[in-house]
Amino acid sequence: MKKNILEIRVRYVETDQMRVAHHTSYFLWMEAARSELMRTNGMSYRTLEERGYFLPVREAHCRYRNSLKYEDIALIETELLEIGGASIKLGYRIFNKENKSSIADGYTIHPFTDINGRIVKTPGFFREIFED
Amino acid sequence: MKKNILEIRVRYVETDQMRVAHHTSYFLWMEAARSELMRTNGMSYRTLEERGYFLPVREAHCRYRNSLKYEDIALIETELLEIGGASIKLGYRIFNKENKSSIADGYTIHPFTDINGRIVKTPGFFREIFED
Amino acid sequence: MKKNILEIRVRYVETDQMRVAHHTSYFLWMEAARSELMRTNGMSYRTLEERGYFLPVREAHCRYRNSLKYEDIALIETELLEIGGASIKLGYRIFNKENKSSIADGYTIHPFTDINGRIVKTPGFFREIFED
Amino acid sequence: MKKNILEIRVRYVETDQMRVAHHTSYFLWMEAARSELMRTNGMSYRTLEERGYFLPVREAHCRYRNSLKYEDIALIETELLEIGGASIKLGYRIFNKENKSSIADGYTIHPFTDINGRIVKTPGFFREIFED
């Protein structure tokens, strides 16, 4: 299914006193990366919300293997793993751009909801755009 | 006018590789402190928004004198400095709780707006609650 | 094993345009809660680092069941689940203080490392303090 | 003196329940923009720290004129305004890339310090690189 790679440079604010990017930044990068995946496939998440569909996070997971320093560039490789009846699952692999070493892996699961937070079925137009 | 003190413990995520709380955290503490000031005076900012009034930030300033480390406790002394015709100004003084040393000072200015972001006059009920 | 409950009030900055606390805030609360768990048991994480031991995050997981709004108070119930030979695992249950509804569950796994990031054995003093 | 423009796309996490980018994000963008300014002139802030020089924030100011929404692209125009005897001042102008409307202005002031936080004179190599 759809894949994408987003480059992100580690910001100073993201470092902590261990001198590496804080573990919560990885979830921010995953969010930015799935936004980018949707946008580059012609259906931005902003547009999705304008159509009345929302993708809150039901589950988020990250496994950290290595660390990143200030000014390092992370590559966030994102893949839409599953389009379910009322939810989607995305997988992420994070690399250090410089030496391609593996930094972290993760996934997120998102139900489709309406503006009131009620679960709704995966819209047909979403499936059409994102299924190969 | 109304004053308040909020205690905040520096979180690990707030440190950076200089081993002190990052300068942007101070603005987050000021925000939490003015929320607390409103809440303890009987008109929470949540209620204000429910009544259709918003207080976005028009200006924010901070002067840093000293730093705070992870697990230090900051005291954020907040004062409502001015209630103008269509805006308010708050002042903040931040101390290290342990030794009462001065850490930073700042201020924020906020127009009153409606839900569409249009400037509106300071509501009478706000003045009644927050003017001495 | 050791348990703790930390209260956290949702900040305005933590809301997003879905009008609820953003999913990454939960990981920040878990971090603050495990700091509190250590501190209230007489061995703060700051002291641990001063002794040359670090607990970076190897794995972080959260399952979101419900949402929290601005100014809601979250209870983060934290439990030290396992003390392994060279790592620890903590579990978290997040509730809405007002109605005790379950908001989220999560866990984190942390290896012990030295200042250079090398894995080391769980120090004896840690086991003594945190094992019942 | 040296100028630079950095593009930043507003992330979902940066929105708040007013549906616009939170005011603290602007300070994060300014930080990323001054990092970029230094890097593109051949002296990254990372290198500066490796040489034993630090630029903590002594003063930060922002005047907000307009707001940015999720997925909007901000242009952060950064200029090194002054190189003083022991500090520097930078100015920032933030625009909406789409329509070039002015969103905010700000400045930051930074003393030079050594690794212990003691003020030191502006190093000669800094002046050579950044003075025109």
Side-chain angles (χ1 to χ4, degrees):
Chain A
M1 277 203 279
K2 299 302 185 194
K3 274 196 181 185
N4 190 60
I5 290 180
L6 179 66
E7 273 193 35
I8 285 193
R9 194 181 280 276
V10 176
R11 297 179 183 176
Y12 202 84
V13 67
E14 295 181 315
T15 64
D16 61 27
Q17 65 186 38
M18 280 189 215
R19 305 183 61 77
V20 295
H22 192 262
H23 70 284
T24 51
S25 286
Y26 292 64
F27 291 103
L28 301 178
W29 303 337
M30 292 184 205
E31 179 182 84
R34 64 181 174 267
S35 285
E36 191 69 16
L37 176 69
M38 293 186 65
R39 192 163 41 239
T40 55
N41 280 284
M43 166 56 63
S44 77
Y45 182 65
R46 179 163 158 172
T47 305
L48 193 74
E49 284 201 352
E50 284 163 7
R51 291 196 184 189
Y53 293 93
F54 296 78
L55 288 168
V57 178
R58 177 188 288 156
E59 207 171 318
H61 182 85
C62 192
R63 173 73 167 81
Y64 304 86
R65 301 177 189 286
N66 236 307
S67 57
L68 289 167
K69 292 192 186 307
Y70 167 58
E71 297 205 331
D72 281 349
I73 298 176
L75 302 178
I76 297 99
E77 194 184 288
T78 306
E79 188 175 4
L80 186 55
L81 296 177
E82 293 172 29
I83 302 182
S87 66
I88 57 172
K89 180 174 184 176
L90 295 115
Y92 311 86
R93 294 197 300 165
I94 300 178
F95 299 91
N96 185 331
K97 189 186 180 188
E98 199 183 359
N99 56 18
K100 301 295 178 296
S101 62
S102 173
I103 303 294
D105 307 311
Y107 68 83
T108 56
I109 300 174
H110 309 259
F112 279 94
T113 76
D114 64 18
I115 199 171
N116 300 308
R118 274 187 296 258
I119 307 289
V120 296
K121 283 201 289 189
T122 301
F125 69 82
F126 186 92
R127 207 177 277 280
E128 274 171 47
I129 294 169
F130 290 101
E131 266 178 2
D132 286 327
Chain B
M1 275 202 279
K2 301 301 187 194
K3 274 196 182 184
N4 189 61
I5 291 180
L6 179 67
E7 274 193 33
I8 285 195
R9 195 181 279 279
V10 176
R11 298 179 182 176
Y12 203 85
V13 66
E14 295 181 314
T15 64
D16 61 26
Q17 66 185 39
M18 279 189 216
R19 306 183 59 77
V20 294
H22 191 262
H23 69 284
T24 51
S25 286
Y26 292 64
F27 291 104
L28 301 178
W29 303 338
M30 294 185 205
E31 179 183 84
R34 64 181 174 267
S35 285
E36 191 69 15
L37 176 70
M38 292 187 64
R39 192 162 42 238
T40 56
N41 280 283
M43 166 57 64
S44 77
Y45 182 66
R46 178 162 157 173
T47 305
L48 193 75
E49 283 201 352
E50 284 163 8
R51 291 196 183 188
Y53 292 95
F54 296 79
L55 287 168
V57 178
R58 177 189 289 157
E59 206 172 318
H61 182 85
C62 191
R63 172 73 168 81
Y64 305 86
R65 301 178 188 287
N66 237 309
S67 57
L68 289 167
K69 292 193 185 306
Y70 168 57
E71 296 205 332
D72 280 348
I73 298 176
L75 302 178
I76 297 99
E77 195 184 288
T78 306
E79 187 175 5
L80 186 54
L81 296 178
E82 293 172 29
I83 303 182
S87 67
I88 57 172
K89 180 174 183 175
L90 294 116
Y92 311 86
R93 294 197 299 164
I94 300 178
F95 299 92
N96 185 331
K97 188 186 180 189
E98 199 184 0
N99 56 17
K100 301 294 177 298
S101 63
S102 174
I103 303 295
D105 307 311
Y107 68 82
T108 56
I109 299 174
H110 310 258
F112 278 96
T113 76
D114 64 19
I115 199 171
N116 300 309
R118 274 186 295 255
I119 307 289
V120 296
K121 284 201 290 188
T122 301
F125 68 83
F126 186 92
R127 206 177 278 280
E128 274 172 47
I129 293 168
F130 290 101
E131 265 178 1
D132 285 326
Chain C
M1 276 202 277
K2 300 302 185 192
K3 273 195 183 187
N4 189 61
I5 291 180
L6 178 67
E7 274 193 33
I8 286 195
R9 194 180 279 278
V10 176
R11 298 180 182 177
Y12 202 84
V13 66
E14 295 181 316
T15 64
D16 61 26
Q17 65 186 38
M18 280 189 213
R19 305 182 59 78
V20 295
H22 191 263
H23 70 282
T24 50
S25 286
Y26 292 64
F27 290 104
L28 301 178
W29 304 337
M30 293 183 204
E31 179 183 84
R34 65 180 173 267
S35 284
E36 191 69 16
L37 176 69
M38 292 186 64
R39 193 162 42 238
T40 57
N41 280 285
M43 167 54 65
S44 76
Y45 182 66
R46 179 162 155 173
T47 305
L48 192 74
E49 283 201 353
E50 285 163 6
R51 290 197 185 189
Y53 293 94
F54 296 79
L55 287 168
V57 179
R58 176 188 290 157
E59 205 172 320
H61 182 85
C62 191
R63 172 72 168 82
Y64 305 86
R65 302 177 188 287
N66 237 306
S67 57
L68 288 167
K69 292 192 184 309
Y70 168 56
E71 296 205 333
D72 280 350
I73 297 176
L75 301 179
I76 296 98
E77 196 183 289
T78 307
E79 187 176 5
L80 186 55
L81 296 177
E82 293 172 28
I83 302 182
S87 66
I88 57 171
K89 180 175 184 176
L90 295 115
Y92 311 85
R93 294 195 300 163
I94 300 178
F95 299 91
N96 186 330
K97 189 187 179 188
E98 199 183 0
N99 55 19
K100 301 293 178 297
S101 62
S102 173
I103 302 295
D105 308 313
Y107 68 82
T108 55
I109 299 174
H110 310 258
F112 279 94
T113 76
D114 63 18
I115 200 172
N116 300 309
R118 275 186 295 257
I119 306 289
V120 296
K121 283 201 291 186
T122 302
F125 67 84
F126 186 93
R127 206 177 277 281
E128 275 171 46
I129 293 169
F130 290 102
E131 265 179 1
D132 285 327
Chain D
M1 275 203 279
K2 299 301 185 194
K3 275 195 182 186
N4 189 60
I5 290 180
L6 179 66
E7 274 193 35
I8 285 195
R9 194 180 280 276
V10 176
R11 297 179 182 177
Y12 202 84
V13 66
E14 295 181 314
T15 64
D16 61 27
Q17 65 185 38
M18 281 190 213
R19 305 182 60 77
V20 295
H22 191 263
H23 70 283
T24 50
S25 285
Y26 292 64
F27 290 105
L28 300 177
W29 303 338
M30 293 183 206
E31 179 182 84
R34 65 181 173 267
S35 285
E36 191 69 15
L37 175 69
M38 292 185 65
R39 193 161 40 237
T40 55
N41 280 284
M43 167 55 65
S44 77
Y45 182 66
R46 179 163 157 173
T47 305
L48 193 73
E49 284 201 352
E50 285 163 6
R51 290 199 185 186
Y53 293 94
F54 296 78
L55 288 168
V57 178
R58 176 188 289 158
E59 206 172 319
H61 182 85
C62 191
R63 173 73 168 80
Y64 304 86
R65 303 177 187 287
N66 236 306
S67 57
L68 289 167
K69 292 192 186 306
Y70 168 57
E71 297 204 332
D72 281 349
I73 298 176
L75 302 179
I76 297 99
E77 194 183 289
T78 306
E79 188 176 3
L80 186 54
L81 296 177
E82 293 172 28
I83 302 182
S87 67
I88 56 171
K89 180 175 184 177
L90 295 116
Y92 310 86
R93 294 197 300 164
I94 300 178
F95 299 91
N96 185 330
K97 188 186 179 188
E98 200 183 359
N99 56 19
K100 301 293 178 296
S101 62
S102 174
I103 301 296
D105 308 312
Y107 68 83
T108 56
I109 299 174
H110 310 258
F112 279 93
T113 76
D114 64 17
I115 199 171
N116 300 308
R118 275 187 294 257
I119 306 290
V120 296
K121 283 201 289 186
T122 301
F125 67 83
F126 186 92
R127 205 178 278 279
E128 275 171 48
I129 294 170
F130 290 101
E131 267 180 359
D132 285 326

